[in-house]
Amino acid sequence: MARLCLAVCAIFFLLCLHASLTSSLRLNPTAEDKGNHARRTAYHFQPAKNWQNGPMYHNGMYHLFYQYNPHGALWDIGNLSWGHSVSGDLVNWAALDTALDPTSPFDINGCWSGSATILPGGIPAILYTGIDADKNQVQNVAFPKNPSDPLLRQWEKPAYNPIIPLPADVPGDKFRDPSTAWLGHDGLWRIAVSAEVAGVASTLVYKSKDFIRWDRIAAAAPLHASHAAGMVECPDFFPVSHDGGQVVRHVLKVSVMDTLQDYYMVGRYDDATDAFSPSEPERGDDCRSWRRLDYGHVYASKSFHDKRKDRRVVWAWANESDSQADDVARGWSGVQTFPRKAWLDEDGKQLLQWPIEEIETLRRRRFGLRRGTRLDAGALREIAAGGVAGLQGDVEVVFRIPSLEEAERVDDPNSLMDPQKLCGEKGADVPGGVGPFGLIVMASGDLHEHTAVFFRVFKHHDNYKLLMCTDLRKSSTRAGVYKPPYGGFVDMDIEEHKTISLRTLIDHSVMESFGGGGRACITARVYPEHVATSNSHMYVFNNGTDTVKVVKLDAWELATATVNVIGDDGAQQRHSEA
Ligand SMILES: *[C@@H]1O[C@H](CO)[C@@H](O)[C@H](O)[C@H]1NC(C)=O
Ligand SMILES: *[C@@H]1O[C@H](CO)[C@@H](O)[C@H](O)[C@H]1NC(C)=O
Ligand SMILES: *[C@@H]1O[C@H](CO)[C@@H](O)[C@H](O)[C@H]1NC(C)=O
């Protein structure tokens, strides 16, 4: 099981070329919403078939490399290639041939995750983990065969690989996922690599002058070490600023195999010593107590700097929640979250994440609710969306909380320790004081199937805690599907703000929600049965005794993007250009 996620991280990078990939947008996807296509997403990235996961990067043209099994829908440890797709806008994608295949002694048992870096002169390089002939994990480099090919279709793996063999103090199956490289003031390249060193989950730093010979530095003091976390993987390390500002902090993100979650810490990075000092040391040494990138169902996130819009873009992989037999029947499994812009909150401690603005190119019909609509206790108001928007939608709502008087009091602070558990105990149908209020989405006409995305305010002494939940327990009548209540706290001063925003992206079998302007994100995979025969409905509701007001509500129907489309012959259409 844990192995499933080993391979996860990926990359992108960009070229100096504007792609003219046409975005043929199809509305009305319901006609093809039959059989195995029913769960296929309309605007989330996925290959046409077979197993995938992993992310991306940059300039005029975006490239996404991802873990791909050319032979089947499941993860096959020995046959992993790097799939490759390109896009002009991060929304519409065309599939190219695989970029890397396990054909060399240093990767003969699989091309696992890695990253791309743009070297001076605009030449991209890929660093990736190969499973060599001895089944050891080693780090390799690859370069484009023809750097002037705008699509960078073919990649060469130099014979001098591996560039970083397995270190003597690291087990053969615990050394992987080189990050995108960064340059220090000393002019040397650095990368982060995950390794278990003497039983300790470590994020090691390697340095290089020429990108080919790499030395492990600060062996005694890796960027991060978690003693009890087990193996961590897919490290991501990047500078962040407040929106549009100067770089003020760095973020270290790791994916923890033990919990299958992504955690991050904001901190200060000193490239003279390659030391990373957490901004919240009180969260402890164990990365499992850091902030969560997403409180739902994602893993192996990866980010890149989008030079075109000078922004940090984060993607994560959301695997399926039904069975492997379902994966095989569908012919594919796993999607990427919609790309998110990430930046540093004013508090200097947390990231804000928000769907990239390009999603607006997909917006079609808009639905709303009158500003100032009051939601009294027990209110349930349908948003006149129906049709396509119920399955392919983008909803943004802002609630005003006139009073916090009625917030539910909590005496035992321990009951505020586990937000997911709290969401399980206090669902949308458990009336409260301030909340639960929020959205009901992907609902059948009789509400028998529905997913509630909502907030609830608690008071402990003089502090308010804002809980956000995505409750999947009633999302589908189908058995054998993972349907937990997900939850996280939104870290904001609700007393001062008095308003709370919620944005939810709905795309057939994936739902992404952003609470409090992107302070808390919850991604979920959902498999409602009613969509095969009827529309999905959408509502706002309030089950708290305190009235809340809808300051604004906009819901859009989204068009279907062109994503690695399957041709009539069943083959993945490839973008070929001489
Ligand atoms: C790769 O896939 C092929 C075809 O499915 C299979 O025969 C082979 O055993 C796989 N190789 C490994 C190393 O798993
Ligand atoms: C994929 O999702 C299932 C839940 O259906 C979970 O049990 C499994 O651990 C997930 N795998 C990864 C790698 O996240
Ligand atoms: C609100 O609570 C009542 C009482 O438990 C319940 O019947 C109703 O379904 C709840 N509303 C929502 C939207 O869950």
Side-chain angles (χ1 to χ4, degrees):
M1 168 53 52
R3 294 185 144 184
L4 249 189
C5 45
L6 299 187
V8 184
C9 315
I11 326 303
F12 284 99
F13 55 76
L14 85 93
L15 309 192
C16 305
L17 227 269
H18 271 275
S20 53
L21 297 171
T22 40
S23 46
S24 61
L25 301 175
R26 286 171 290 135
L27 259 177
N28 197 8
T30 41
E32 68 186 42
D33 255 355
K34 294 274 144 58
N36 287 329
H37 288 301
R39 320 276 174 207
R40 194 169 173 84
T41 55
Y43 61 92
H44 279 78
F45 182 93
Q46 55 176 250
K49 48 204 278 224
N50 302 348
W51 193 85
Q52 77 105 18
N53 77 34
M56 64 163 175
Y57 187 97
H58 149 229
N59 193 1
M61 181 167 321
Y62 299 94
H63 292 243
L64 174 56
F65 299 106
Y66 46 96
Q67 295 283 286
Y68 182 64
N69 173 9
H71 306 285
L74 302 179
W75 196 66
D76 176 344
I77 192 162
N79 271 319
L80 278 180
S81 291
W82 274 39
H84 185 189
S85 289
V86 290
S87 171
D89 60 5
L90 285 172
V91 175
N92 298 284
W93 293 89
L96 304 176
D97 282 332
T98 51
L100 300 172
D101 295 296
T103 54
S104 308
F106 46 81
D107 65 13
I108 192 71
N109 285 300
C111 298
W112 288 16
S113 287
S115 304
T117 301
I118 311 294
L119 302 180
I123 307 283
I126 283 174
L127 293 170
Y128 71 101
T129 299
I131 311 301
D132 72 9
D134 298 327
K135 299 259 166 92
N136 284 326
Q137 300 179 359
V138 297
Q139 315 315 325
N140 301 318
V141 71
F143 298 102
K145 204 167 189 171
N146 172 10
S148 55
D149 171 7
L151 297 175
L152 297 175
R153 279 166 293 197
Q154 289 180 304
W155 290 77
E156 261 173 352
K157 304 179 283 190
Y160 54 70
N161 275 311
I163 47 161
I164 310 181
L166 182 69
D169 56 351
V170 175
D173 61 347
K174 297 202 164 82
F175 184 50
R176 57 181 171 269
D177 308 338
S179 71
T180 296
W182 69 95
L183 269 177
H185 285 108
D186 55 8
L188 299 180
W189 289 104
R190 279 122 168 112
I191 53 170
V193 182
S194 279
E196 192 180 291
V197 184
V200 176
S202 305
T203 304
L204 304 178
V205 178
Y206 282 78
K207 272 193 199 180
S208 175
K209 204 179 181 123
D210 58 9
F211 222 79
I212 292 166
R213 276 169 298 264
W214 292 86
D215 294 312
R216 177 166 151 195
I217 55 153
L223 213 48
H224 172 73
S226 276
H227 289 260
M231 181 68 185
V232 305
E233 46 189 359
C234 299
D236 197 13
F237 189 59
F238 53 89
V240 283
S241 59
H242 302 307
D243 210 5
Q246 297 287 310
V247 167
V248 288
R249 296 283 192 282
H250 272 72
V251 170
L252 176 62
K253 188 280 309 181
V254 292
S255 303
V256 177
M257 287 180 66
D258 172 37
T259 58
L260 292 174
Q261 297 294 345
D262 282 13
Y263 303 86
Y264 73 91
M265 174 60 81
V266 175
R268 287 182 191 277
Y269 167 65
D270 176 5
D271 73 5
T273 55
D274 285 293
F276 175 69
S277 323
S279 295
E280 298 181 282
E282 66 277 14
R283 283 182 182 267
D285 294 333
D286 191 320
C287 53
R288 290 171 300 180
S289 57
W290 293 359
R291 290 176 187 265
R292 291 260 299 268
L293 193 82
D294 189 299
Y295 291 91
H297 194 98
V298 307
Y299 193 62
S301 61
K302 196 94 178 179
S303 72
F304 72 105
H305 176 250
D306 179 0
K307 211 169 167 180
R308 185 166 163 195
K309 297 207 168 179
D310 191 21
R311 62 186 171 184
R312 174 69 40 183
V313 177
V314 181
W315 281 28
W317 169 59
N319 81 340
E320 303 301 318
S321 289
D322 51 0
S323 70
Q324 290 204 343
D326 293 318
D327 293 349
V328 172
R330 263 192 305 264
W332 55 269
S333 77
V335 303
Q336 291 295 119
T337 57
F338 194 79
R340 300 171 182 176
K341 177 178 161 179
W343 68 102
L344 187 63
D345 185 25
E346 290 297 329
D347 70 6
K349 293 176 178 168
Q350 65 182 330
L351 288 177
L352 301 176
Q353 299 174 66
W354 200 245
I356 55 164
E357 61 193 3
E358 285 85 341
I359 198 169
E360 293 168 21
T361 62
L362 296 175
R363 285 177 175 173
R364 296 298 181 265
R365 278 198 298 164
R366 177 180 160 274
F367 305 88
L369 207 60
R370 193 173 48 78
R371 277 167 195 263
T373 297
R374 286 165 56 99
L375 300 175
D376 296 323
L380 180 69
R381 289 282 298 261
E382 177 151 21
I383 303 163
V388 176
L391 274 186
Q392 279 179 225
D394 177 358
V395 195
E396 248 188 287
V397 52
V398 179
F399 298 99
R400 169 168 289 277
I401 305 170
S403 152
L404 289 168
E405 284 287 294
E406 306 280 324
E408 289 163 78
R409 259 158 242 284
V410 172
D411 296 325
D412 176 8
N414 288 327
S415 63
L416 293 176
M417 294 297 279
D418 184 345
Q420 177 147 343
K421 184 159 169 270
L422 211 47
C423 289
E425 290 162 2
K426 304 247 178 188
D429 57 355
V430 178
V434 180
F437 60 84
L439 294 168
I440 299 284
V441 294
M442 294 189 93
S444 56
D446 59 4
L447 282 173
H448 206 64
E449 286 185 325
H450 70 264
T451 299
V453 187
F454 60 93
F455 300 109
R456 190 167 195 132
V457 181
F458 294 94
K459 186 174 189 184
H460 173 61
H461 296 312
D462 285 334
N463 297 316
Y464 293 99
K465 288 279 267 182
L466 176 59
L467 180 70
M468 173 175 167
C469 307
T470 292
D471 188 349
L472 298 185
R473 287 175 296 179
K474 294 181 180 153
S475 61
S476 170
T477 51
R478 203 163 126 206
V481 178
Y482 183 52
K483 293 178 280 193
Y486 291 118
F489 289 108
V490 188
D491 187 357
M492 62 182 275
D493 186 343
I494 188 66
E495 215 181 347
E496 189 198 320
H497 279 82
K498 298 256 175 18
T499 58
I500 171 91
S501 70
L502 174 62
R503 172 126 181 235
T504 295
L505 305 183
I506 300 158
D507 189 4
H508 296 256
S509 60
V510 60
M511 184 187 294
E512 293 182 67
S513 297
F514 303 81
R519 289 175 174 86
C521 307
I522 302 181
T523 298
R525 299 304 307 272
V526 279
Y527 306 87
E529 294 283 61
H530 71 269
V531 302
T533 50
S534 61
N535 283 340
S536 274
H537 300 258
M538 205 188 282
Y539 304 83
V540 273
F541 79 99
N542 178 20
N543 246 341
T545 49
D546 256 359
T547 295
V548 296
K549 277 188 180 167
V550 175
V551 178
K552 112 179 180 148
L553 187 152
D554 292 306
W556 285 270
E557 182 175 284
L558 296 185
T560 298
T562 301
V563 181
N564 303 324
V565 173
I566 308 174
D568 291 338
D569 58 356
Q572 183 161 304
Q573 279 172 6
R574 299 198 177 276
H575 187 79
S576 49
E577 221 174 62

